[in-house]
Amino acid sequence: MIRVQHEDFDVGAELVAIGRGNTRIGGLVSFVGLVRERAGGEAITAMTLEHYPGMTERELGAIEAEARQRWPLEECLIIHRYGKLAPGDRIVLVVTASAHREAAFASCQFLVDWLKTKAPFWKLEETSAGGRWVEARDGDAESAKRWVAE
Amino acid sequence: MKLLYFAWLRTKIGKAEETIEPPAEIATVAALIDWLKARGPGFADALKNAKLVRVAVNREYVGWDHPVRPGDEVALFPPVTGG
């Protein structure tokens, strides 16, 4: 399931809700991405996430479909926020649920790696010196590539 | 043809979207980008480094040899930084 929203989410409530009633699930793995207080030594006052409505949902849906094809997932949830956020705010939640932990761990990491390089979001960091668009990290592309050869 | 610009491409170009009718001979993404560059210094600056421009046609990633047609939604944006 994909949700793209400005509003915050309740991690505990999502984890309880996702597997409710599905006793085939043996393990849930979650990743929560947060706004860091610093970028390159500078304090961030705010972070604004811009996205491409319509394409965002489509890309995240495609990434979820890819994960479901690769691993036997019972449940899969991606919530990604947009708009103006503050240090410490939650940005993204990825939850995977499977009968066994291996699939849940691996698919959760895959989803995070792929959404970082494919989902059309852009971060604007605000510091006392002004706004600055975050540059894509080579490391993110490398992390995403490791899933291609499999 | 509807054009959408995001992140620093949007701020350099100075608008988020527009509807344009490029000349009929503009048939690919590459040709469209070359044509856009000539429309003003904001476009030239935003599009000068091809390595930093990603393209989606009708909300799907495409390469620069992909065709563009009247009625398409073409989005230009920098490498993504979500998550």
Side-chain angles (χ1 to χ4, degrees), chain A residues 50-52 54-55 58-59 80 91-92 115-123 133-136, chain B residues 4-8 10-11 55-56 58-61 73-75 77-83:
Chain A
E50 182 171 325
H51 79 118
Y52 180 177
M55 184 172 173
R58 182 185 182 132
E59 278 300 310
H80 204 303
I91 304 171
V92 62
L115 81 84
K116 272 187 168 287
T117 57
K118 291 177 188 289
F121 286 95
W122 302 273
K123 290 179 179 141
W133 291 99
V134 173
E135 284 179 34
Chain B
L4 302 174
Y5 312 113
F6 291 97
W8 54 257
R10 171 177 58 73
T11 55
V55 184
N58 300 326
R59 302 179 176 180
E60 275 192 68
Y61 285 107
E73 179 175 297
V74 181
F77 47 81
V80 302
T81 56

Side-chain angles (χ1 to χ4, degrees), chain B residues 32-55:
Chain B
L32 176 66
I33 287 176
D34 273 344
W35 181 76
L36 287 170
K37 276 187 198 165
R39 290 178 74 213
F43 284 94
D45 185 34
L47 300 169
K48 68 184 172 198
N49 188 348
K51 281 186 184 165
L52 296 179
V53 180
R54 301 287 180 271
V55 184

